[in-house]
Amino acid sequence: MKHKIIIAGLIISGLFSSCQQFEDDYLDAPAQSTLDASIIFSTAGLAKGAIDGIKVPFAETNSYRGRFLPYYGLNTDVEWYNTSQTAGDKADLCVYDAKPTNTEMNTTNNAYAMMYSGIERANVCIQGIRQYGNPLPGTEMGQLLGEALTLRAIYYADLLKSWGDVPARFEPITSATLYLPKSSRDIIYKQLIADLGEASTLVAWPNETSYTSTVEHVNKAFVKAFRARLALAASGYQQYPDGVRRSNDPELSVANMYALALKESREVIQSGSARLESTFEGLWRKYNEENTAAGGESLWELPFSDGRGRMLFTFAVKHTAASDQFQANGANRGGVAGPLPFVFYDYDQADTRRNVTCVPYKYGAAVNGIAKQELGSLDTWYFGKYRYEWMKRYVTSTNDDGVNKMYMRYAEVLLIAAETANELEGPSAAAPYLKEIRRRSFATAAQAVKVDAYVDALTSKEAMFNALVEENKFEFTGEMERKQALIRWNLLKANLDKAKQKMAELSTRSGQYADVPATLYYKYQSDNVSLDIYGLNRGETANPGAAYSSTPWTWTGTAADAKIASLYKVGVNPDNRQFWPIWQVFIDGSNGQLKNDYGY
């Protein structure tokens, strides 16, 4: 059963009155609460309700649920908004052309505001538990403080990757701190890394306690892994007001941060508290089945109740009908974004991740409640990691699906360990981690060539690094983690331009895609729903027989160049648009303290 976030009535909501006061400028009014903070934060059951309250802003209408998760992370060299070529504010968020007045975002209840609401809730809890809770390692109050510190770090990490420099708020708001200018992200990153270091001493390993038996609660494996991720982001390339560069702060140097990331990732690996699922498809079936048991690959999930959240609503294989045998989530659900069309052809044909990640069909109109798979076009693919047909629960809400966001998984820990070990110790130190990832991806009979020989041939740091960039692509396409990775590697525009060239070649069957078939052959399997497709693999051009129907497998329309060009806005340099602008409503309400950089 999925955990439901519930605030403990007025007892808890009163504690967070300062969040509303921040919006309404009532900061000098006393907090209205039926219980004093000294009681709430000295009583574990009540304090837990307050910690759950920190998560509430994740699910607000224009927060993560309907604005941040559907748009942040697109477009990359592997993923895009499927209608990027269509002019409008939704596409602008993805094609590196968002304006401060973007109508999808320029509201007072947008993700930016909700992230700060979550931070304020966390600040109140952190202050209260420190003051009244005696939060020692191994205690329930220690676990709760560690979770509060980690949830605050999640909100801040997402603010930093979306907006760059933002105001730093690590204490509850007062009238003196209502209006703050932006702070250097270096300062915030250092605070987050320190907070997560403390949190890792307070929270339990997965399944060490009943509380950490679910990935909807923070555990030590996630905290350490997340700390490693932030160390890489803090030391990586990123756009500052004076250009794209690494941090000038010596504490955030590559040497320091990579050493920290390697240490933390190795401690997670050595703990044995998390693991890869045995198959890649099994991982994503487990996710869609909403199995939140800790100890597997998922380290922490952003928890949505059954009637909240839009992960499948946005990203699933598209379902045309308002209801069919798999869902009643409304018409045309899923399919908003998908893999770039060449990604399927970049996978090794034997890689088991390929057919899970890249889906060439949608579900058509329902006849007597049953929808069949239908082939689309070469330039529109869907993410197969998100599938209503793999759910155990039948979604009936027409606005939300309630499936969690898997925020971080163990495969990333292995790839962080590989990347940092390669940088600090050389490719031979990275090889075991990369082999573990690839061993899960290829059948046993293929592993001598596809795993051992492939990895053993990576004898230079450069070759290993390039292989890891590719492995990240094959592992994480559709999870919208690629954008920040490209930015920190200083590969954003370079790889987007390569992706445009690849799409141009695929659309004309030239260059490295000259052997991609131009005709697909298909028939329905015995269930009369699922397609049996021939012709997707390179070189599959022979007609398989009369049992199969055929269809052209072509780039659609005459505007192919416009669609390819829309990966990022023509005339825009993505390296100069790595962040969204702070929305105008927050600029206008900042008492002159906030401004946009980067030419916005």
Side-chain angles (χ1 to χ4, degrees), residues 86-147:
T86 303
D89 284 352
K90 290 181 179 179
D92 284 352
L93 293 169
C94 306
V95 301
Y96 301 87
D97 196 36
K99 311 294 195 304
T101 54
N102 185 285
T103 56
E104 293 294 312
M105 295 290 192
N106 189 35
T107 62
T108 57
N109 64 348
N110 179 253
Y112 182 93
M114 291 299 100
M115 289 174 183
Y116 273 109
S117 174
I119 287 167
E120 177 66 9
R121 289 166 180 256
N123 286 340
V124 170
C125 291
I126 291 165
Q127 183 183 76
I129 293 174
R130 288 196 192 283
Q131 186 171 358
Y132 302 113
N134 193 25
L136 298 175
T139 67
E140 192 169 2
M141 281 298 190
Q143 173 75 39
L144 295 175
L145 175 58
E147 182 150 3

Side-chain angles (χ1 to χ4, degrees), residues 510-551:
S510 59
Q512 60 190 304
Y513 303 102
D515 60 349
V516 171
T519 301
L520 294 186
Y521 298 89
Y522 66 93
K523 65 178 181 178
Y524 283 100
Q525 298 180 27
S526 58
D527 64 3
N528 203 31
V529 168
S530 306
L531 285 170
D532 180 352
I533 307 170
Y534 178 84
L536 279 174
N537 293 322
R538 293 174 182 263
E540 288 185 347
T541 56
N543 190 324
Y548 288 79
S549 301
S550 65
T551 186

Side-chain angles (χ1 to χ4, degrees), residues 203-354:
V203 302
W205 290 102
N207 290 313
E208 185 179 1
T209 67
S210 60
Y211 191 77
T212 57
S213 64
T214 170
V215 293
E216 293 184 335
H217 288 149
V218 166
N219 60 65
K220 196 186 298 286
F222 170 64
V223 172
K224 286 179 168 292
F226 186 42
R227 193 176 189 222
R229 178 196 280 182
L230 290 191
L232 294 186
S235 64
Y237 288 93
Q238 53 199 291
Q239 187 181 7
Y240 288 87
D242 61 350
V244 176
R245 58 173 173 82
R246 294 186 187 273
S247 172
N248 293 327
D249 190 321
E251 294 181 47
L252 300 179
S253 67
V254 169
N256 286 339
M257 292 294 96
Y258 274 52
L260 176 61
L262 180 57
K263 172 181 176 294
E264 295 286 24
S265 57
R266 277 181 170 161
E267 288 183 2
V268 174
I269 294 166
Q270 292 162 2
S271 75
S273 64
R275 56 175 175 79
L276 293 180
E277 303 298 337
S278 58
T279 67
F280 196 70
E281 181 175 319
L283 161 66
W284 290 101
R285 283 187 177 274
K286 181 178 179 180
Y287 165 76
N288 285 279
E289 289 170 357
E290 301 176 290
N291 182 338
T292 60
E297 188 160 347
S298 178
L299 298 179
W300 183 76
E301 295 181 10
L302 195 159
F304 290 117
S305 64
D306 288 355
R308 214 64 180 158
R310 291 186 165 190
M311 289 304 295
L312 271 61
F313 179 103
T314 305
F315 297 120
V317 175
K318 185 174 181 177
H319 284 251
T320 305
S323 64
D324 58 33
Q325 70 271 40
F326 299 116
Q327 57 82 38
N329 206 187
N332 295 312
R333 297 306 188 225
V336 169
L340 295 187
F342 63 78
V343 173
F344 178 88
Y345 300 101
D346 283 4
Y347 277 98
D348 189 302
Q349 187 174 324
D351 192 329
T352 61
R353 295 171 292 190
R354 184 189 70 166

